[in-house]
Amino acid sequence: MACGGHLIFVGEDGDATVLHAPMYVMEFPDERDLARREDVLRAFNRRRGFPVSQNVDEQLESYRATPKPYHLSTREHLFDAANRYWIATGRDQYEWSYLDVYENTEYLGSVQVRDRLRSFDLLGSTLVVLIDRQVGADDVDGISDRTLDWYYIADLPFDR
């Protein structure tokens, strides 16, 4: 479990260890997050028959001023074959994404991958990452492309 920059590890006996995530940094929504939230708010207003712009600016300002939540969903963490715990963090997802790796409650290191991570899996010595690719100047539709990136991870310094 995760809350406010802390991880809570619960053992089989029910004992809990609370650890401040070493790489946690409080972050606020970036322009991409704001654009996505604005689209959701405007679509909600349209569906409800409200004026499309009703309260959108106020809600966006509130969203902009609120730190991103630090929580985990099922697609953001897993255990690998060596029983290490991989957590996809929410930090700095504009150009890069990060996965923090733990063994028991010991932080082993982080892995940096390109673009915004949406989900991931480990297949032996391969990290497979579903990402939203950054929109480039040559992207005619202006919409992020989703794609899979593959990383060979057997040579990572914490891989034993």
Side-chain angles (χ1 to χ4, degrees), residues 58-85:
E58 293 136 22
Q59 290 179 33
L60 283 176
E61 283 309 308
S62 174
Y63 179 67
R64 179 190 309 270
T66 304
K68 290 181 180 181
Y70 184 70
H71 65 278
L72 303 174
S73 73
T74 55
R75 68 178 185 205
E76 296 168 324
H77 62 109
L78 58 79
F79 286 91
D80 66 12
N83 207 32
R84 291 175 301 225
Y85 188 43

Side-chain angles (χ1 to χ4, degrees), residues 118-154:
R118 306 313 284 168
S119 187
F120 73 100
D121 203 351
L122 293 159
L123 305 170
S125 60
T126 303
L127 169 65
V128 184
V129 184
L130 174 65
I131 53 100
D132 284 339
R133 181 77 66 219
Q134 283 290 332
V135 176
D138 59 342
D139 194 340
V140 292
D141 64 6
I143 299 172
S144 300
D145 295 322
R146 282 217 171 146
T147 189
L148 291 174
D149 283 350
W150 303 76
Y151 296 91
Y152 180 71
I153 59 169

Side-chain angles (χ1 to χ4, degrees), residues 18-87:
V18 178
L19 173 72
H20 179 73
M23 300 304 291
Y24 171 76
V25 176
M26 185 185 316
E27 287 188 279
F28 292 88
D30 60 25
E31 293 306 312
R32 202 172 181 184
D33 297 322
L34 288 165
R36 185 172 287 139
R37 176 59 63 101
E38 182 176 12
D39 289 346
V40 167
L41 292 171
R42 289 184 186 284
F44 177 80
N45 284 350
R46 248 188 315 279
R47 282 192 306 272
R48 298 289 183 238
F50 301 139
V52 173
S53 62
Q54 181 178 345
N55 298 324
V56 169
D57 291 337
E58 293 136 22
Q59 290 179 33
L60 283 176
E61 283 309 308
S62 174
Y63 179 67
R64 179 190 309 270
T66 304
K68 290 181 180 181
Y70 184 70
H71 65 278
L72 303 174
S73 73
T74 55
R75 68 178 185 205
E76 296 168 324
H77 62 109
L78 58 79
F79 286 91
D80 66 12
N83 207 32
R84 291 175 301 225
Y85 188 43
W86 291 68
I87 301 171

